[in-house]
Amino acid sequence: MDVRRRPVGSVEAKPNGKPLVEVDVDVHDPIKASDALPLPLYLANAVFFGVFFSVVYFLLTRWREKIRTSTPLHVVTLSEIAAIVTFMGSCIFLLGFFGIDFVQGFIARPGHDNEWDAEDDIIVKEDARAVPCGAAIDCAPPVVAVASPKPKVPVSPPSSEEDEEIIKSVVAGAIPSYSLESRLGDCRRAAAIRREALQRMTGTSLEGLPLEGLDYESILGQCCEMPVGYIQIPVGIAGPLLLDGREYSIPMATTEGCLVASTNRGCKAIYASGGATSVLLRDAMTRAPVVRFGTAKRAAELMLFLENPLNFETLALVFNRSSRFGKLQSIKCAIAGKNLYIRFSSSTGDAMGMNMISKGVQNVLDFLQNDFPDMDVIGISGNYCSDKKPTAVNWIEGRGKSVVCEAIIKEEVVKKVLKTNVAALVELNMLKNLTGSAMAGALGGFNAHASNIVSAVYIATGQDPAQNVESSHCITMMEAVNDGKDLHVSVTMPSIEVGTVGGGTQLASQSACLNLLGVKGANKESPGTNARLLATIVAGSVLAGELSLMSAIAAGQLVRSHMKYNRSNKDVSKA
């Protein structure tokens, strides 16, 4: 409620003629935290700040000690209970009262004596001279006359002049661009100011880059830093894909013409032939730190300790304490001189799981320091994982979800829908996807264009697009069956890395695409089910894409289709 203050004894009628509220106050009265805590506000804040940081330090110390001694975190002592209660109390006080001194000081500053309040008709009569009681002024209790209540007026946005000053400060380097969200408390406004500052500093225009239409609060601290807008990528629908007896409409975010149409044709061929089936072979995310010892012998001793089955239960107990869903499955080591690479494999529920498994790995490394104090941890990731790189270890051992998807395409469907024949497809697959890829020295790239479909589905569903690198590991097989009449086609993908919670999956557009597939969020009844289902859908979509593209190449339609869907018909020779 805004307040107008006036000196005692002055009288003024408000222009609108409404009743006024008059309050006699002494501005020299100190501001108290509350009636229950009659301390000066600054002193109360200082006390509760001290209590807050003290109990936080105590609880963190106790938590670290429990980890070192393998004590369950939910077992608490009386002192810990008291600390938790004190922590909660101090949080409540600081949240409720921090900054009230500034707010009240802002309301009471003298410079506002001649401004009317737009929300409430109130005048506060103040004694600016702090005259003692009984000396020329009436010290009776204040008389308050309240006007009729009025609806609240929405707070207007900050003035353009204020934004202009901030923009100039960003351009001059006085305000770091990355700090705008925390300074302003308005993510959309911060993006607009950063955008304008960027245009002035670079002398270029961002006119084609949209600003409106994105919830900037949802990406703060999770998806993107220092945003200035967002990219528009069309989303097309391929399908229905008949997979394991269920139909799916596949969302694909892409700017490559013909891709959705081609995948859609593959889905049509699969549907007309009775559908595809999939098998999930493995489900385990990996993280591989690298540690170093003074000698190769000591590195070998740790490797033998980690790979000893008798020690696995203890290591799994330490690993699993950081998450309900992250469960250690295996440990595989590789040694290079005195350096040891430790590849942990873990389930991660419906999350893709990189952060989850990294916390578990850190728990184990801290635990190992007790028995191997000479172990030097070089990095939490030593590239033996291996993340966002095409590697043999992922191709052979798998990472994320390992899936095989297959279908038998009938002879008449091959001819009528795919416009080719079984023999031509089998020969092309052998010479292109197998022999040709081997000649090129491919690593996991024994396919026609698995990466195309994986990237499009990943972007549409909020996955990490960079993990397309290993997720596109795929070998496509084609074989004539049923006396050479029908075509058996399959894709084997050992490292599909997907999740239905965390990261970009929580954004509105990506969440809608996940919802379309029926895999939005976490599966509460069976954790991990949604992510595994999404992996099989990705493999089924790749199967459709492979089938259609290979047919187009076999029939000599590739160039014609791309000219039709991916090129302009304009005759540039006349330009």
Side-chain angles (χ1 to χ4, degrees):
M1 181 175 65
D2 293 335
V3 175
R4 180 173 181 183
R5 296 171 177 264
R6 296 190 56 79
V8 174
S10 63
V11 178
E12 181 177 343
K14 190 171 180 181
N16 60 13
K18 292 185 178 181
L20 303 177
V21 175
E22 297 189 359
V23 181
D24 295 328
V25 298
D26 186 349
V27 295
H28 298 276
D29 289 341
I31 299 174
K32 302 291 179 40
S34 70
D35 293 337
L37 186 64
L39 293 176
L41 188 61
Y42 74 90
L43 183 57
N45 282 342
V47 170
F48 277 91
F49 262 119
V51 172
F52 174 80
F53 287 111
S54 298
V55 296
V56 167
Y57 176 78
F58 172 77
L59 291 173
L60 289 177
T61 304
R62 293 293 302 147
W63 179 66
R64 181 180 180 185
E65 185 64 26
K66 286 184 177 184
I67 292 178
R68 289 186 175 276
T69 59
S70 300
T71 303
L73 296 180
H74 65 273
V75 178
V76 294
T77 63
L78 185 61
S79 61
E80 292 170 347
I81 294 176
I84 293 173
V85 173
T86 305
F87 170 78
M88 295 175 62
S90 59
C91 282
I92 292 172
F93 176 86
L94 293 175
L95 289 175
F97 291 97
F98 180 71
I100 194 172
D101 192 18
F102 169 78
V103 174
Q104 293 185 358
F106 176 83
I107 294 174
R109 70 183 190 272
H112 281 207
D113 282 350
N114 296 320
E115 295 180 5
W116 283 104
D117 169 35
E119 288 190 10
D120 301 283
D121 299 327
I122 295 179
I123 292 180
V124 179
K125 301 194 301 181
E126 67 180 22
D127 178 12
R129 297 166 297 163
V131 182
C133 185
I137 67 169
D138 182 9
C139 291
V143 178
V144 179
V146 183
S148 301
K150 296 169 58 179
K152 294 290 183 179
V153 178
V155 179
S156 59
S159 63
S160 58
E161 290 80 5
E162 182 181 357
D163 287 354
E164 179 65 26
E165 290 301 319
I166 299 175
I167 292 170
K168 290 180 179 178
S169 297
V170 173
V171 172
I175 296 180
S177 177
Y178 63 80
S179 69
L180 288 174
E181 281 79 5
S182 60
R183 284 174 175 265
L184 301 177
D186 184 340
C187 293
R188 188 266 170 210
R189 182 184 171 204
I193 290 175
R194 181 182 296 112
R195 176 191 181 101
E196 179 59 29
L198 178 64
Q199 291 182 126
R200 296 186 187 183
M201 288 188 290
T202 61
T204 57
S205 172
L206 295 176
E207 182 179 357
L209 184 68
L211 176 67
E212 303 297 339
L214 178 65
D215 180 8
Y216 290 93
E217 301 287 344
S218 65
I219 68 173
L220 180 64
Q222 184 164 352
C223 295
C224 182
E225 298 77 38
M226 297 187 287
V228 293
Y230 60 97
I231 294 294
Q232 295 171 307
I233 302 179
V235 177
I237 297 296
L241 171 66
L242 183 57
L243 177 66
D244 298 324
R246 295 177 57 184
E247 296 182 11
Y248 300 96
S249 296
I250 312 300
M252 302 176 67
T254 180
T255 55
E256 180 182 347
C258 206
L259 178 60
V260 177
S262 177
T263 307
N264 187 67
R265 184 174 75 150
C267 291
K268 180 179 179 181
I270 293 172
Y271 196 102
S273 299
T277 57
S278 65
V279 180
L280 184 78
L281 305 176
R282 286 185 296 267
D283 180 10
M285 182 49 63
T286 63
R287 173 60 85 196
V290 53
V291 300
R292 181 171 59 193
F293 288 89
T295 63
K297 180 180 179 181
R298 284 291 287 165
E301 289 176 359
L302 177 57
M303 181 181 71
L304 295 175
F305 175 83
L306 292 172
E307 294 186 342
N308 188 340
L310 299 178
N311 298 325
F312 182 80
E313 184 176 353
T314 301
L315 295 172
L317 182 65
V318 174
F319 182 98
N320 298 343
R321 68 166 54 132
S322 62
S323 173
R324 292 181 297 150
F325 307 108
K327 305 301 179 184
L328 184 64
Q329 295 182 0
S330 65
I331 301 176
K332 180 181 178 65
C333 297
I335 193 169
K338 57 182 183 177
N339 304 303
L340 183 65
Y341 298 83
I342 313 168
R343 194 171 192 257
F344 294 83
S345 298
S346 165
S347 61
T348 56
D350 282 309
M352 185 272 289
M354 289 299 298
N355 292 332
M356 187 185 301
I357 190 173
S358 295
K359 290 190 290 185
V361 168
Q362 189 62 58
N363 290 343
V364 175
L365 293 177
D366 293 341
F367 173 79
L368 292 174
Q369 293 279 186
N370 297 325
D371 294 326
F372 296 88
D374 55 335
M375 178 181 71
D376 185 13
V377 179
I378 303 301
I380 190 69
S381 175
N383 272 9
Y384 188 52
C385 311
S386 176
D387 188 40
K388 300 179 177 69
K389 288 167 282 291
T391 58
V393 69
N394 288 345
W395 178 240
I396 298 170
E397 298 290 336
R399 188 172 195 253
K401 279 72 173 170
S402 300
V403 182
V404 177
C405 190
E406 63 180 346
I408 295 179
I409 309 301
K410 297 177 182 178
E411 181 182 23
E412 58 269 23
V413 175
V414 174
K415 292 180 178 180
K416 293 181 180 180
V417 178
L418 301 177
K419 312 299 182 183
T420 184
N421 61 78
V422 173
L425 282 172
V426 172
E427 182 181 32
L428 177 64
N429 187 72
M430 180 188 67
L431 295 178
K432 170 182 168 62
N433 290 341
L434 304 183
T435 307
S437 296
M439 293 292 292
L443 182 57
F446 298 89
N447 58 81
H449 71 148
S451 178
N452 251 341
I453 290 85
V454 172
S455 296
V457 176
Y458 271 29
I459 294 172
T461 58
Q463 311 304 311
D464 186 343
Q467 289 185 322
N468 160 70
V469 175
E470 63 268 38
S471 295
S472 296
H473 279 341
C474 172
I475 183 169
T476 300
M477 304 292 291
M478 293 186 180
E479 181 182 350
V481 295
N482 299 331
D483 297 327
K485 295 181 179 180
D486 301 331
L487 175 72
H488 179 275
V489 56
S490 67
V491 292
T492 304
M493 306 179 70
S495 50
I496 300 177
E497 299 166 351
V498 292
T500 58
V501 296
T505 64
Q506 52 88 32
L507 298 178
S509 302
Q510 290 82 340
S511 180
C513 291
L514 289 172
N515 189 54
L516 175 67
L517 295 171
V519 294
K520 177 182 176 181
N523 190 306
K524 297 180 180 179
E525 297 179 357
S526 179
T529 299
N530 283 359
R532 289 191 287 269
L533 178 56
L534 178 58
T536 61
I537 293 173
V538 170
S541 303
V542 169
L543 181 70
E546 289 287 283
L547 185 61
S548 183
L549 176 60
M550 291 294 288
S551 299
I553 296 175
Q557 299 171 337
L558 180 64
V559 175
R560 284 199 305 273
S561 62
H562 273 265
M563 290 301 100
K564 180 179 180 181
Y565 292 104
N566 202 25
R567 290 291 184 272
S568 171
N569 293 324
K570 182 179 179 180
D571 187 356
V572 296
S573 64
K574 298 180 180 180

